[in-house]
Amino acid sequence: MLKVPVFPDSAPMPPSPSAQALHPAGKRTGRADPDSARCLMCKVREYNLCSSIEDHDVTVLAQATRQISLPPGTAVIEEGTPASAFFNVINGTVKLFKSLPDGRRQITGFADAGQFVGLSNSRTYSFGAETVSTVLLCRCTHTQIENLLAEYPGFARHLLSAVTHELADAQEQMLLLGRKTAKEKVASFLLDRIKQYHRTHPHDPDAETTASVPMTRVDIADYLGLTIETVSRTISTLRRDKIISGTENHCIRILSLPNLQDIAYGLKSI
Amino acid sequence: MLKVPVFPDSAPMPPSPSAQALHPAGKRTGRADPDSARCLMCKVREYNLCSSIEDHDVTVLAQATRQISLPPGTAVIEEGTPASAFFNVINGTVKLFKSLPDGRRQITGFADAGQFVGLSNSRTYSFGAETVSTVLLCRCTHTQIENLLAEYPGFARHLLSAVTHELADAQEQMLLLGRKTAKEKVASFLLDRIKQYHRTHPHDPDAETTASVPMTRVDIADYLGLTIETVSRTISTLRRDKIISGTENHCIRILSLPNLQDIAYGLKSI
DNA sequence: CGTTTATTTGACCCTTGTCAAGAGTAGTGG
DNA sequence: CCACTACTCTTGACAAGGGTCAAATAAACG
């Protein structure tokens, strides 16, 4: 049978306390140790990949991963370097991007709390990743991911589901980049940010009308395939048209969600 | 544990002779039946997902799938309809696309022989699919894919690898759509077509300099986020600059691969 | 061989990019 | 607490890449 590793030939990693063989599948620890408590109490555990590993096996996870905190603007993954690690975002936002030799850049997505970063099929990363805000990450080597995949069938299925979802998002973004106008692009982006805010603040009564935009105009422009000037002008227009309200730059309030939706999908001729 | 099906709640399918329960894992058939011969002799078997199922289990595959042949321009998947089937492309090319309400369309990719179409995480397809040329497909219900995933761990891993690869392609295409000029887009597209021709015609001595372009200008334009006029003009310019040669429309000969590569990555200022 | 459809080419214009300057904002340190 | 500096963001004037509309060619097909 053809071998098709998801993480082929992971580059050798510097030895770390947590870089040890996983427990055999199904082995139970009598009770939670301090490490597994970290995973059990993790605020994104129920939303992300880790939910595939049941509570009583969580020691495996805790020993396979290490948490790191990074300030805004820090490189997490360097485009073209050996692909060796995988990251879960616990808190904050990470941007993923690809670049051209002359420096032009396309941000392919933002990974918020609960999402992951660093899946690669090839020996090197085909994309870069950098923190947008202060970010808490859970790091795991590809070798350890391979072990989890081999021991927990549910994990492979969960990962497949997550990647399939990402692919659908990527296709939606291709539609945006190839066929939408600047105004439609910005409106679509704001809708995504509202959804994201709603996911992470389900109990905020204003969640329906709030968009958290932690990224700069440069990042928004590189995400939407525009220039910062066009992004700025378009947001100003939306403010002038009373579709959004103009208090702050990084927390936008939506005055007319239906109008914004119509614009995003090209139903508003204006 | 949270259940995360890759094909949730597959829509009920009309009963078909091949829509029956799979054989139990590991059950061997004494020798190949006519059905399994179809799979064993399949010309893409060694390249595609089916290689995850070993030869002695191939009856399972043969009974789970049905081959269909479709003329050019036939809808394979209707955007927004219930997601119920999955297709392997045995021969020909299928285009995948998303549309806006007013008819604007973005082709998100072309699936050539050996690739698959129809993976979906949601109840309905978020994209459409249509044949470009005459196409031979191998159809399989999502229910049957679920069974294969449950019984053959290698299959889930193979599928994960394939989807991860598709995601990387999608990211590369986002870079193209968001940040490349018309000339760079067309050059990148031609390079992809050369690679594709090389894969499918490994013994052709001209494979290094040949690009098969079965799709129309409309499809190319919808794939690159341009208009047909711009695609046409750009190809004419490449011909005038002696980078490609102008014999036919659907089989392009490359005169200077290095130049084409430089243009595709923005290294050629012209 | 004529009809239909796909492609090319031209003329013109609009959306978005480029260049440049001004206005906010956020830190920093006296 | 208030300058000072360094960004980030906004706005304006202008240019250009690519879109739109229209017509001419070239292929494809019965």
Side-chain angles (χ1 to χ4, degrees), chain A residues 117-139:
Chain A
V117 163
L119 203 59
S120 174
N121 236 341
S122 71
R123 213 170 284 253
T124 55
Y125 292 113
S126 61
F127 54 87
E130 199 179 306
T131 56
V132 169
S133 53
T134 299
V135 167
L136 187 62
L137 291 175
C138 205
R139 185 186 192 279

Side-chain angles (χ1 to χ4, degrees), chain A residues 9-11 14 22 46 73 93 106 115 129 158 173 195 213 228 234:
Chain A
D9 310 306
S10 300
L22 297 173
E46 61 176 308
T93 304
Q106 177 65 42
Q115 301 191 268
H158 201 147
Q173 191 66 3
K195 276 197 211 112
V213 186
I228 53 169
T234 308

Side-chain angles (χ1 to χ4, degrees), chain B residues 97-143:
Chain B
F97 56 87
K98 283 181 73 81
S99 310
L100 287 168
D102 62 6
R104 280 175 287 172
R105 193 182 64 155
Q106 178 65 42
I107 293 183
T108 57
F110 294 101
D112 294 299
Q115 301 190 268
F116 62 86
V117 162
L119 202 59
S120 174
N121 236 342
S122 71
R123 214 170 284 253
T124 55
Y125 292 112
S126 61
F127 54 87
E130 198 178 307
T131 57
V132 169
S133 51
T134 298
V135 166
L136 187 62
L137 291 175
C138 205
R139 186 185 192 280
C140 183
T141 66
H142 279 181
T143 311

Side-chain angles (χ1 to χ4, degrees), chain A residues 79-92:
Chain A
E79 220 171 335
T81 60
S84 58
F86 180 89
F87 304 87
N88 269 303
V89 181
I90 310 295
N91 205 4

